[in-house]
Amino acid sequence: MGPSSLAAEIPGSDMIAYLARRLVSLALSLAAASVAIFAVIEVIPGDPAAFMLGLNASPETVAALRAELGLEGGPVDRYLAWAGGMLTGDFGVSYTYRTPVADLVADRLAVSGPLALLALALAAGLALPVGLLAAARRGRAADVAVMGATQIGISVPNFWFAMLLVLVFAVNWQVLPAGGFPGWQAGAGPALAALILPAVALALPQAAILARVLRSALIETLGQDYIRTARAKGLSRGQALRRHAFRNALIPVLTILGMQFSFLLAGAIIIENVFYLPGLGRLVFQAITQRDLVVVESVVMLLVAAVILVTFLVDLAYAAVDPRLRHRA
Amino acid sequence: MRIGFGLGILLSLAALVAALVSFVWTPADPTAMAIAQRLQPPSAAHWAGTDHFGRDIASMLMVGARTSLAVALLAVGIGMAVGVPLGLLAAARRGGLIDEAVMRMNDLIFAFPSLVIAILITAVFGPSAVNAILAIGIFNIPVFARVTRGGALSLWTLDYIRAARVAGKGMARISLEHILPNIANLLIVQGTIQFSLGILAEAGLSYVGLGAQPPTPSWGRMLAEAQTMVTLAPHVAIFPGLAIVATVLGLNLMGDGLRDALDPRLRRAR
């Protein structure tokens, strides 16, 4: 037992120790990510002001922009100013839009946030019944069909699937808009209608992955002794699956769902471009073409911070469910 | 699953052959424009029709296969070249400072989806196929490091590795002579998976303009150009998409088949 025996006597104390360790590593991850992003964006190009203005800028304009962006100090001072600003919600001022990046991000999050949530809900809503069905009918026609369909779902690029959706639902049947976003002030109906096709396009590959993970997790749990016990005590195969196997199989599914968040973010960046949605992804791409490094730097940091935070939360949920994990670093 | 494996090999080979043959022969010149012939549906002269410049889509797809396969293959190469030694080193010094540093660096890279890495690189260096390779390759490093470390850790506890240590072999020699050959299976399977993910990633990057630049043909950019044309001539969007799906599906099926063939233990669970 050793040093952990004391902790084991106080209920919850190992969870607190685990939490403290994870919080430290969370802070370190965020700091390391911010240093990496800052180094790529501000140190590698040499003079960001000259880079943003291009080759034809006069030395005076470059000097003026440098003063405006606060680039006079050394890299360390600038990093501290930027990172400190991010912590207090000051993401800098966009050079092209002339508005605080925080305001831009808040506007765009009103599109990207609901889109990601809708896609996640669709993916889970589709994958759970399909995965259950495949596991319950293992080796039979339904299972083979599900496995074939998910194999194709994994192989389809979501932006191509999005184009096909537009072709069918927006051009041929004309039931949903092909792109653009009316804004939430136009009412929830039109706004949601604009998000449906993008969300479906985003959700399909994720649903295919989730369904496969759930199926193999279920099949694995179905081979466990406690399932045999449940069957022996008179439960049908379906009852054992729903009452016992499903809950245990949810743990790997939750992990995958957390990991998929980062793929969902990346996918959303592309899908927003297919549908001309004014989300974070479009913001980043416009910023790249306009060489607005302030926007690129802060938005990329926010995306990465979101991924790190979700991973952290999934780890915590995992440790709360499975006490064995708390003792690993 | 045997049928799947066969189909996977067939589809993967088809993409490879198309890419290789395109060096010596294509049905038509993929860069020859003929505005009078634009947006033609598939016919005997143009198997997959023509695009908005009247270029032969089948020829462009064959040349585009080169770009896709080369970018994905080189990205896997970067991931393996850096990730495998890191993983071997981490496993050999298990629990040590190097192990900790490698694992933390992995976690950090995992926080950057390959598209975000590509955005960072292109924001500073501009878009190109090389930057796409770098972005996907960097994302592959932690994948291979993790697989290598995991596989190597289980081997280090085995008796024949201990015997090698007793015989006086150093960590580096054991890693190269005993560990690496025994995790080759794992690496081949993971390589196939990353290869297919790389093709999807390359398509996505060139679709949003962060990958290969004109005039280098690429499947993703063909789809980007097709987007405004899709209502007039759906075939312009359908064929490049099918090429991507067929290649990725082929590699995935091949990867699954290889895993089953190389690791019989997994067969039971599937």
Side-chain angles (χ1 to χ4, degrees):
Chain A
M1 291 297 273
S4 64
S5 60
L6 179 70
E9 285 165 23
I10 312 160
S13 72
D14 59 338
M15 192 64 202
I16 292 169
Y18 176 82
L19 194 63
R21 271 204 314 273
R22 293 297 316 184
L23 274 173
V24 171
S25 93
L26 171 73
L28 288 176
S29 306
L30 287 172
S34 66
V35 169
I37 292 169
F38 182 84
V40 172
I41 294 285
E42 291 212 18
V43 180
I44 292 177
D47 184 349
F51 178 83
M52 284 166 74
L53 290 171
L55 290 173
N56 297 323
S58 68
E60 293 81 39
T61 3
V62 174
L65 179 63
R66 204 180 290 137
E68 186 190 322
L69 295 176
L71 293 180
E72 270 99 3
V76 177
D77 293 337
R78 269 158 44 207
Y79 169 75
L80 290 176
W82 172 66
M86 292 287 288
L87 285 176
T88 55
D90 172 14
F91 300 165
V93 175
S94 159
Y95 174 64
T96 43
Y97 294 91
R98 298 278 165 192
T99 39
V101 178
D103 294 353
L104 286 173
V105 167
D107 276 1
R108 304 307 182 98
L109 259 183
V111 180
S112 296
L115 174 61
L117 285 178
L118 202 58
L120 207 60
L122 273 174
L126 192 64
L128 294 187
V130 165
L132 261 172
L133 176 78
R137 297 260 182 277
R138 187 186 176 191
R140 292 197 242 154
D143 183 25
V144 174
V146 165
M147 289 307 276
T150 53
Q151 189 68 262
I152 292 173
I154 290 172
S155 310
V156 172
N158 56 15
F159 57 92
W160 183 60
F161 183 55
M163 289 166 74
L164 298 184
L165 286 176
V166 168
L167 203 57
V168 173
F169 291 96
V171 178
N172 283 359
W173 294 349
Q174 309 199 334
V175 285
L176 287 165
F181 189 69
W184 291 104
Q185 67 275 6
L192 279 177
L195 291 182
I196 288 179
L197 289 185
V200 170
L202 265 177
L204 175 92
Q206 310 296 335
I209 297 171
L210 261 187
R212 291 175 81 90
V213 170
L214 178 64
R215 174 186 173 273
S216 58
L218 277 173
I219 287 174
E220 188 147 341
T221 36
L222 280 176
Q224 303 289 325
D225 287 343
Y226 60 84
I227 298 294
R228 202 183 318 158
T229 311
R231 292 292 306 279
K233 132 190 134 166
L235 260 62
S236 75
R237 204 179 136 82
Q239 283 171 324
L241 188 77
R242 279 189 298 274
R243 285 196 205 161
H244 298 285
F246 186 63
R247 279 190 202 175
N248 283 289
L250 272 183
I251 295 176
V253 170
L254 280 179
T255 317
I256 295 292
L257 213 55
M259 278 165 56
Q260 283 187 331
F261 183 77
S262 87
F263 290 103
L264 213 60
L265 270 181
I269 296 176
I270 292 184
I271 289 293
E272 282 171 11
N273 279 282
V274 182
F275 290 95
Y276 306 103
L277 291 176
L280 281 179
R282 298 262 311 156
L283 181 66
V284 168
F285 276 107
Q286 281 157 356
I288 288 179
T289 45
Q290 292 155 347
R291 297 192 162 196
D292 192 340
L293 290 183
V294 184
V295 171
V296 176
E297 186 177 48
S298 295
V299 174
V300 164
M301 183 63 220
L302 283 176
L303 291 176
V304 171
V307 174
I308 292 176
L309 269 175
V310 168
T311 315
F312 170 76
L313 290 176
V314 170
D315 276 1
L316 282 195
Y318 218 46
V321 175
D322 190 344
R324 285 169 301 180
L325 290 171
R326 292 172 211 164
H327 296 293
R328 284 206 236 133
Chain B
M1 279 295 137
R2 282 271 168 80
I3 306 168
F5 192 28
L7 184 65
I9 292 178
L10 206 71
L11 288 172
S12 309
L13 270 181
L16 184 67
V17 168
L20 292 178
V21 169
S22 77
F23 282 103
V24 290
W25 177 82
T26 50
D29 179 355
T31 55
M33 299 186 190
I35 300 297
Q37 299 283 309
R38 70 181 176 180
L39 299 178
Q40 298 276 310
S43 63
H46 300 287
W47 303 342
T50 58
D51 74 351
H52 55 299
F53 290 128
R55 291 175 294 191
D56 181 55
I57 291 180
S59 305
M60 290 172 75
L61 287 177
M62 284 175 69
V63 182
R66 270 189 236 164
T67 316
S68 283
L69 295 181
V71 168
L73 194 66
L74 288 170
V76 169
I78 292 178
M80 278 196 178
V82 183
V84 171
L86 282 179
L88 285 175
L89 194 66
R93 298 267 182 265
R94 179 184 193 173
L97 207 61
I98 295 175
D99 188 15
E100 189 66 20
V102 167
M103 293 316 285
R104 290 289 84 80
M105 196 199 70
N106 276 352
D107 290 346
L108 184 64
I109 298 181
F110 265 128
F112 291 79
S114 62
L115 187 69
V116 173
I117 300 179
I119 287 173
L120 273 178
I121 294 177
T122 42
V124 175
F125 298 104
S128 72
V130 175
N131 290 341
I133 294 170
L134 276 180
I136 306 170
I138 291 174
F139 185 74
N140 278 342
I141 292 173
V143 176
F144 283 105
R146 198 162 281 201
V147 167
T148 306
R149 180 178 176 273
L153 278 181
S154 62
L155 288 174
W156 274 104
T157 60
L158 298 183
D159 284 342
Y160 73 94
I161 300 287
R162 287 197 196 156
R165 289 182 68 178
V166 172
K169 284 194 181 180
M171 296 287 190
R173 257 187 87 185
I174 294 178
S175 291
L176 286 180
E177 290 176 10
H178 300 292
I179 308 271
L180 194 55
N182 281 300
I183 57 167
N185 285 353
L186 282 176
L187 294 179
I188 290 170
V189 172
Q190 195 64 44
T192 318
I193 296 170
Q194 295 311 116
F195 192 41
S196 89
L197 287 176
I199 285 181
L200 273 181
E202 191 276 335
L205 289 178
S206 52
Y207 172 77
V208 288
L210 299 184
Q213 296 298 299
T216 312
S218 90
W219 292 343
R221 216 187 45 257
M222 286 173 77
L223 282 175
E225 289 172 3
Q227 198 172 344
T228 47
M229 244 67 69
V230 71
T231 50
L232 296 171
H235 72 272
V236 185
I238 286 172
F239 286 110
L242 284 180
I244 299 172
V245 174
T247 310
V248 173
L249 183 66
L251 286 166
N252 282 341
L253 289 174
M254 197 168 82
D256 280 359
L258 279 175
R259 186 176 49 198
D260 290 351
L262 296 174
D263 192 348
R265 279 169 306 172
L266 287 170
R267 230 175 267 160
R268 192 171 40 86
R270 300 182 76 248

